Amino acid sequence: MSADKTPLTADEIRQAVAVVRRDGGLGADAWFETVGLDESGRAGDQRAAYVCCYEPSRNRTFAGRVLFEADRLDDWRHVEGVQARIPPDEFEMACRLAREDPEFVAALARRGVDDPSRVLIESWSAGNFGLPEEQTRRIAYGHCWLMNDAGDNPYARPIANLHPVFDLGAREIIRIDDFGAVPIPPDPGPIRRPHQRDDARPLSITQPEGPSFAVDGYRVRWQDWELQVGFSPRDGLVLHDIGIRDGDRLRPLMRRASLAEMVVPYGDPRGASFRRNAFDTGEYGIGVALDSLRLGCDCLGHIHYFDVCSHDWTGEPRPIDNAICMHEEDFGIGWKYSVPAAGQTTVVRSRRLVVSSIATIGNYVYGFFWYFYTDGTLGVEVKATGIPFPSALDGGKASPWGRVIGDGIESHVHQHAFSFRFDMALDGERNSASEVNFRAAPSGADNPHGNAVLTDETVFARELDAQREIDAASARYWRVFNPNVRNRFGEAVGYKLLPGANAFALQHPDSPVGRRAAFMYKHFWVTRHDPDELYPAGWFPNQHPGGDGLPRWTAADRAIEDTDIVVWHTLNYHHWPRPEDWPVQPVVYAGFHWMPDGFFDENPTMDAPRG
Ligand code: NI
């Protein structure tokens, strides 16, 4: 396995692009979907790039490695029957195509819009609905809005029922789907406001002696935690080699952790709305969409920023300064104990290290926050904000699938389904996973008062056993443990995955989006480690018919006990938009925790400074 997990530099991106241009056998029109760190391990200790290219003239996708030291391609191949992600550059190209298309301009004129330059057209993946003409072309569906004059809300005024349909490979509009004009909502949805309240006095966070973390490149030490910050144009923020110091030992927990996929299926079946199923990671890319964060706005306190380098579709490096934020937060009391009779109270503070990044993907903004707590807990939190996808009211009232959130505006029910991937390594590579359920003990001689409660722990032997759902009735959680390492009570050392607020996917599993996002139907999956298995809907979800990723890999039903395993956690939440979400949505939080569960021999914060 390659030891160096440092994100690619601008020079490395340039070199990888040059090697592909020189030796890749591609036409001059080919563009670069991904130039990122190769994590396959197949290059041994050599540093390598994973590169994926799309060649529009022949509608072909290529992928492989560039070995930097050897300055050559490795395992470069045509990947049959797939479509690369849609990069931001292609969105811009499609927007320009539509604004110049006479039929589209005429459709705008019928709606009273005479300036196409004020219309935003986003080209979303068409998905895959089995239509023959869409199987062999790079199809995208346009959604249109009239931008507001202030320039601060491009989604202010939805233009309903008008959808240019693109062949992005041919770089042309193949038709305009017009399901009939609907009045364009009048609300300009301004986000800037002339008056802001002035009664919030300064709130300063100071660390007069500096922060408690130490940074060496992308490697971080904080309290007992050690980790390496990484980046992928697709996943965005990646964390490598997470470990925790316990006395003299650095005890590994995870080799790699990231948001591996997410999908946002919308619930309106009409017109072209059923097409809205955004796989933001696999169809568009989180990493390429990371914001440059600003001190005092995105982040407060003593911040360390990590810069990363993305690229545009020509392969030109695109540095993202301040892409990843790291700081410490006080987190209230850590623990407390009082002995009133003795007049003694002991209390310690809790603190957490926060590593985060924020991606702007069209109307939505997602913050991905990783929290490392002093007690060994690792928290993962998504902060969802931005503008809920607005549509125009058809017929003056809301549809059954939408809610009125602005003047003439409805926003449709949708779900956000996040899949987090954890390459586990608790005290070594050989781990197992189990499920714990609470249950009432049967009444009887052993339980005469009906108060007895039992817990059942079931160890998963094979992959098909380990595809599980949350269950509030049994307070279900999952554990990962190392059967070869024991705590002082003789138990295998473990961590538990404690779900947070979560939900079930409601799209039919055999629907087009259900087949493509099978990961969202189970909250917990375990797979046997394979470095090629990074993305739960497969490497190429764009226009994919479905079945790739987790369902395909786990069909082999590999043994997962006492071996190198990967845990996948699905976090679903349903969004029925509120008037309060317009014109911009206050952050909605969703997350979960990994907590030490017999990993340590006692409370690991007994050495915390006493107050
Ligand atoms: Ni939402």
Side-chain angles (χ1 to χ4, degrees), residues 23 56 83 150 156 191 291 313 332 343 345 376 391 421 542 556:
D23 302 334
Q83 285 294 340
I191 291 172
D291 295 344
W313 65 347
T345 294
S391 300
R421 179 185 182 277
N542 186 14

Side-chain angles (χ1 to χ4, degrees), residues 364 414 416 573 575:
Y364 247 100
H414 59 275
H416 301 255
Y573 86 86
H575 190 180

